[in-house]
Amino acid sequence: MLGVRMAGVSNAAKVKQGIVVLGAGAAICVGGLTITGHPRFYKTVLMPLGFRVFDPETAHRWSIKLAKWRLLPCMKQYTSATLNCSIFGKPLSSPIGLAAGFDKDGEAVDGMLSLGFSFVEVGSVTPLPQPGNPKPRVFRLPEDKAIINRYGFNSAGHDVVYASLKARQENSKSAGVVGVNLGSNKTSESRINDFVKGVQKFGDIADYLVVNVSSPNTPGLRTMQCRQLLHDLINAVLEARDNLACKQKPAIFIKLSPDLSADERVDIAAVVSGRTDSLGLIVSNTTITRPVTLTSSQKSESGGLSGEPLRDLSTDTIRDMYRLTNGKLPIVGVGGVSSGADAYEKIKAGASFVQLYTALVYHGPPVAVSVQRELAELLQRDGHQNVSEAVGLDHKLTT
């Protein structure tokens, strides 16, 4: 009977039915790979497809919205005692976090934590709202696995971001450490006052605060890394922190440039050394240098370069700052991390924690869990019971 019915179906109808079946199967397959967060599918199919459909800033905005609405894939969290650590007394399931720059206005903290990051850094946030630099201001360099951005601290401002984080604090059940990266308004008359205002505003709601004196996209900001200015800034920020009314006061991190000269690194170490009162370093921000190895047509755009070309420069800066501070200050390593091996390299150079961001652009939502899994395997391979044993290992092997 089935054969009789099929015999009455035209070849065109059969082809149409076949296309429908194959299309449905493909849709189910793609949907399954998307929802389950298959790493290779995201890296080789979905993210490159997104590059063709969306310009970089539009893709960025939509990524934030999807994370805010919890529409990103629910990643199966990777847990290993080997990765357990703490940041100034705050327990972390792993040392892998999301760097500032993705969620500038604190809209999508829980969505990003659900991807496997153990801590999320919001910002940079400026006291007053500002639009940032003119568009276009962010560029993909796919051949180099890099990004150039000149956003210029586009920010909704203190009040909006605080309200968002406060609402999350009151309603969220998500675990995870949240930091706030503080910036200064472009037209500010006093950069120190801007950072003090940030401490006063977010001190009761952030687990840690970051004083960002190293963005290359705000004119004059990097001069705050000079010895005397940095000394005055740190004193003002720590005084503001110590005067907060809240019982649990946030740790303070200073975010540094990878483009510092050897003398500038020595000066910074002299300023921060001995200041172990919940003070740490984030190394590093984006670079204004352009390695000769870059091949993308966008390589000459102005702004800060991040991604794979920044990796070695960032790691070298971590290594120097760990040595110059005698390993006494915790360092968050960031710049060019897209694998467990990259994270391990920064940890051995002296980083206690590692952040990533550009890797999200090229590897998609599965990247945090992938980096954690690979890092745990490398630590276990080398006989480490816990990640803390590997911090600064390169220095111990050379002494």
Side-chain angles (χ1 to χ4, degrees), residues 54-216:
F54 300 109
D55 67 82
E57 187 158 350
T58 300
H60 184 184
R61 285 301 312 158
W62 272 106
S63 296
I64 294 170
K65 290 181 183 296
L66 291 173
K68 177 180 179 179
W69 298 332
R70 306 298 292 269
L71 294 178
L72 292 177
C74 295
M75 302 300 302
K76 183 178 180 181
Q77 303 297 299
Y78 179 80
T79 57
S80 170
T82 305
L83 299 180
N84 292 347
C85 53
S86 63
I87 181 168
F88 288 118
K90 304 279 186 180
L92 297 174
S93 59
S94 88
I96 307 301
L98 176 66
F102 177 80
D103 187 6
K104 291 176 176 289
D105 297 329
E107 303 173 70
V109 172
D110 287 337
M112 300 313 293
L113 288 171
S114 72
L115 296 185
F117 292 105
S118 64
F119 62 104
V120 168
E121 191 172 309
V122 169
S124 294
V125 189
T126 56
L128 299 175
Q130 64 178 30
N133 291 324
K135 300 177 183 179
R137 52 192 179 178
V138 57
F139 308 89
R140 301 186 189 104
L141 285 68
E143 300 88 347
D144 305 299
K145 297 294 188 289
I147 294 288
I148 292 175
N149 94 81
R150 51 173 180 262
Y151 271 120
F153 281 172
N154 52 313
S155 173
H158 281 181
D159 289 345
V160 171
V161 178
Y162 182 86
S164 179
L165 294 178
K166 187 66 175 177
R168 175 196 174 266
Q169 185 184 63
E170 293 172 350
N171 300 311
S172 176
K173 297 180 180 179
S174 297
V177 167
V178 179
V180 177
N181 186 297
L182 304 175
S184 175
N185 281 116
K186 186 175 182 178
T187 58
S188 174
E189 295 181 359
S190 172
R191 299 203 186 281
I192 289 180
N193 284 347
D194 277 6
F195 288 116
V196 167
K197 289 176 183 176
V199 173
Q200 293 170 337
K201 186 71 175 183
F202 295 99
D204 69 339
I205 201 169
D207 294 304
Y208 70 90
L209 297 170
V210 180
V211 178
N212 186 352
V213 291
S214 53
S215 170

Side-chain angles (χ1 to χ4, degrees), residues 218-376:
T218 298
L221 182 64
R222 284 188 166 191
T223 62
M224 297 299 295
Q225 296 172 111
C226 296
R227 185 167 186 159
Q228 188 58 52
L229 285 175
L230 185 63
H231 176 271
D232 295 344
L233 172 62
I234 290 177
N235 281 345
V237 165
L238 290 179
E239 181 180 0
R241 190 271 310 275
D242 292 343
N243 288 333
L244 291 171
C246 55
K247 184 177 181 181
Q248 289 276 49
K249 296 177 171 57
I252 303 289
F253 284 86
I254 311 298
K255 189 163 187 175
L256 302 179
S257 163
D259 303 323
L260 295 164
S261 68
D263 288 343
E264 288 171 328
R265 296 179 189 189
V266 170
D267 283 347
I268 290 171
V271 172
V272 301
S273 290
R275 306 298 297 264
T276 55
D277 40 359
S278 297
L279 183 69
L281 302 175
I282 296 185
V283 185
S284 68
N285 215 314
T286 56
T287 177
I288 58 173
T289 64
R290 297 293 184 267
V292 296
T293 54
L294 295 180
T295 61
S296 172
S297 60
Q298 307 272 33
K299 64 183 179 181
S300 297
E301 292 290 344
S302 63
L305 174 72
S306 62
E308 286 190 10
L310 175 61
R311 181 176 57 223
D312 292 345
L313 180 59
S314 166
T315 303
D316 288 343
T317 310
I318 292 168
R319 188 172 287 111
D320 269 1
M321 296 313 300
Y322 183 89
R323 175 179 57 82
L324 291 169
T325 58
N326 297 310
K328 301 291 179 153
L329 295 181
I331 294 175
V332 179
V334 55
V337 175
S338 62
S339 68
D342 296 336
Y344 194 27
E345 185 178 48
K346 280 179 165 44
I347 289 167
K348 290 190 291 184
S352 296
F353 317 97
V354 177
Q355 292 177 325
L356 55 88
Y357 172 13
T358 301
L360 268 174
V361 175
Y362 291 101
H363 295 261
V367 69
V369 171
S370 295
V371 169
Q372 290 173 15
R373 182 179 292 107
E374 294 166 9
L375 175 60

